[in-house]
Amino acid sequence: MIISNVFHGFWYCETNEIFNKSEGLLEELNNCLADRVYTTDLQLDEIHLSFQNPEAIKSRVRPYYMAARDMEKDDPWGPYSLMALIYEIPLPERDFIKVSEDKLPTYIGKILLEHLETHDVPVKIRKQFDRDRFIADVRDFFVNVKGCKL
């Protein structure tokens, strides 16, 4: 399973070193959790973390489960679907650009864990997704690997 991330609606951050380091941090999270499975009898290929600047983009409150379809005509394997659990996490740009490099893992970890803990997964996958173990693994990454105080 893949833990992917994207930042939407950030203007100043694209040239900022903090922005690049936060993408690297989330890539490390993906590498740490890539070989783990959090579902039983359910196709879940990706957990997508979409960090959105609430000043530019309105984000959904609840996470959602959907198939992202690739309909490229040139794809030799044809169209396929990727089942994803998508979290849209508000991250104010004006606060994000003020974070120092040494406090970045703690800042991202707190925002991410707060969002994961306060929002249930969709009813469609609630019984088959081990939410508590996923949250524990994310917390373990930030505390034990990155040394954050959450």
Side-chain angles (χ1 to χ4, degrees), residues 109-144:
K110 281 183 180 180
I111 286 178
L112 180 57
L113 283 168
E114 178 184 323
H115 195 79
L116 293 175
E117 290 170 348
T118 58
H119 295 86
D120 284 334
V121 294
V123 174
K124 190 175 190 176
I125 66 170
R126 191 170 294 159
K127 290 182 181 179
Q128 296 180 346
F129 181 71
D130 193 351
R131 176 179 170 259
D132 295 332
R133 193 165 58 90
F134 175 65
I135 291 171
D137 287 346
V138 171
R139 180 180 303 283
D140 184 56
F141 168 77
F142 281 102
V143 172
N144 293 334

Side-chain angles (χ1 to χ4, degrees), residues 8-150:
H8 287 292
F10 292 88
W11 314 116
Y12 175 75
C13 290
E14 291 180 10
T15 59
N16 193 328
E17 188 68 24
I18 296 294
F19 183 73
N20 295 331
K21 290 198 182 293
S22 61
E23 285 187 323
L25 174 72
L26 294 168
E27 185 64 33
E28 288 180 48
L29 175 65
N30 178 37
N31 293 338
C32 184
L33 302 181
D35 59 342
R36 302 193 184 172
V37 178
Y38 298 102
T39 59
T40 57
D41 301 331
L42 174 76
Q43 182 182 356
L44 182 62
D45 304 309
E46 178 179 335
I47 296 177
H48 184 77
L49 307 173
S50 177
F51 293 93
Q52 298 184 345
N53 180 7
E55 298 160 0
I57 298 173
K58 184 177 179 181
S59 60
R60 294 182 186 202
V61 176
R62 294 183 188 180
Y64 55 100
Y65 175 72
M66 66 172 283
R69 301 196 193 292
D70 178 19
M71 304 301 275
E72 293 182 18
K73 295 176 184 174
D74 299 332
D75 191 351
W77 294 280
Y80 67 93
S81 64
L82 178 75
M83 301 307 290
L85 175 61
I86 302 166
Y87 286 92
E88 293 182 357
I89 303 165
L91 180 66
E93 182 178 28
R94 67 178 177 271
D95 299 335
F96 183 54
I97 60 175
K98 295 176 186 175
V99 177
S100 63
E101 288 184 34
D102 57 330
K103 294 184 180 180
L104 181 66
T106 303
Y107 183 77
I108 295 285
K110 281 183 180 180
I111 286 178
L112 180 57
L113 283 168
E114 178 184 323
H115 195 79
L116 293 175
E117 290 170 348
T118 58
H119 295 86
D120 284 334
V121 294
V123 174
K124 190 175 190 176
I125 66 170
R126 191 170 294 159
K127 290 182 181 179
Q128 296 180 346
F129 181 71
D130 193 351
R131 176 179 170 259
D132 295 332
R133 193 165 58 90
F134 175 65
I135 291 171
D137 287 346
V138 171
R139 180 180 303 283
D140 184 56
F141 168 77
F142 281 102
V143 172
N144 293 334
V145 176
K146 290 299 174 184
C148 301
K149 296 177 181 167
L150 301 178

